[in-house]
Amino acid sequence: SGRWTPIGNGKQAFSGHFDGQGHTISGLTMNGAEDYCGLFGKIKGGSVQDVIIQECDIAQRQYVGAIAGMITDASLSGCSTVGGKVNGSSMVGGIVGCMTGKSKVDGCENAAVNRSMLNNIGGIAGYIKDAGVVFDCCNQGDISGKENVGGLVGASGLKSNISIQNCYNKGTVTASVAGEGAALLGRTSQIAPLAYCYYDESCSERAFIAGDAANITQISAIDENGKLLTPIKLAEKSYDEVTIAL
């Protein structure tokens, strides 16, 4: 009980390795107007794996995520957020608020409700600045914000080189500014590879908002019965049906 103080912060990041061994942390609470908030505030050059955050109550400013507020040249793997809420003003994610450097989020799942007062909010990561990778992740929480709202990732930076692969979103995506929400990736200014990613057709009318579709591969919607819809057209391209195990 009580208010949680994040491990690591903007001035002194966590740089070690944390193995949760599949244990669950319940009722993680942080409410205020601070940056770098989550179980870990900021991780640089470190890693966190196999920990579950259940029924968290997080409402802070920016760089907010249930597992970590920000990661730099770091990795998160096998982590989950189950229930609860993760709220902030900007750069808010169900798993991590912001990814910088060569960071990776692998095999993580969010089922919390995420809300942002402003922009850059995603079910897995709110914002990816540099060369981040999101792989084999799933979002089931409802995501809402003003702009750059994505079921998996809210937005990526101007010179970023990101990759999103083998991911799935079934949470509803809502943006208060028309046209600023997308089922998978909110907004990208560069080529953003989206490979073998899927989303529930009811969560959003589009897979991504903006970016270069040249690297889009096998992006499909799934109906309420779990049936893969085929074909789906993106940027005047049509992709054939592929097999996915749900």
Side-chain angles (χ1 to χ4, degrees):
S1 61
R3 184 181 183 280
W4 172 254
T5 300
I7 302 169
N9 53 52
K11 295 181 179 180
Q12 186 173 0
F14 174 79
S15 59
H17 172 68
F18 177 85
D19 184 352
Q21 298 182 346
H23 291 292
T24 298
I25 298 173
S26 298
L28 189 72
T29 301
M30 285 170 281
N31 292 284
E34 299 179 8
D35 300 334
Y36 303 102
C37 293
L39 177 63
F40 292 82
K42 183 178 180 179
I43 303 170
K44 184 175 182 180
S47 61
V48 174
Q49 69 179 58
D50 299 333
V51 62
I52 302 167
I53 304 296
Q54 183 173 353
E55 296 299 334
C56 61
D57 181 6
I58 302 174
Q60 292 287 355
R61 193 164 61 176
Q62 61 180 2
Y63 308 125
V64 181
I67 303 298
M70 175 185 282
I71 60 174
T72 301
D73 296 320
S75 67
L76 305 176
S77 61
C79 298
S80 300
T81 306
V82 181
K85 61 183 181 180
V86 181
N87 299 340
S89 60
S90 179
M91 300 190 189
V92 181
I95 299 298
V96 57
C98 180
M99 300 169 61
T100 67
K102 295 181 179 180
S103 293
K104 184 175 183 179
V105 177
D106 181 7
C108 294
E109 180 176 352
N110 173 59
V113 174
N114 298 3
R115 294 189 179 93
S116 171
M117 295 173 60
L118 298 175
N119 52 24
N120 302 332
I121 178 168
I124 301 299
Y127 186 80
I128 302 179
K129 182 180 180 181
D130 300 309
V133 173
V134 177
F135 180 78
D136 201 20
C137 293
C138 174
N139 174 64
Q140 299 188 62
D142 292 338
I143 313 299
S144 62
K146 183 179 180 180
E147 299 174 302
N148 300 351
V149 185
L152 296 175
V153 176
S156 63
L158 183 62
K159 297 182 179 180
S160 62
N161 180 23
I162 74 171
S163 176
I164 304 173
Q165 298 184 43
N166 292 21
C167 294
Y168 176 58
N169 174 51
K170 63 180 298 185
T172 300
V173 178
T174 305
S176 58
V177 175
E180 287 291 329
L184 299 176
L185 172 61
R187 183 171 297 277
T188 178
S189 300
Q190 299 292 311
I191 295 175
L194 289 169
Y196 305 102
C197 292
Y198 307 88
Y199 63 97
D200 189 310
E201 66 167 342
S202 65
C203 68
S204 178
E205 63 182 13
R206 57 178 64 83
F208 61 97
I209 298 175
D212 191 329
N215 276 10
I216 305 295
T217 306
Q218 305 288 32
I219 305 301
S220 296
I222 296 173
D223 68 15
E224 61 183 2
N225 298 315
K227 180 182 178 182
L228 202 62
L229 303 181
T230 179
I232 179 170
K233 295 180 179 180
L234 297 177
E236 300 180 353
K237 298 188 178 206
S238 178
Y239 299 95
D240 294 331
E241 181 175 352
V242 296
T243 302
I244 179 173
L246 298 178

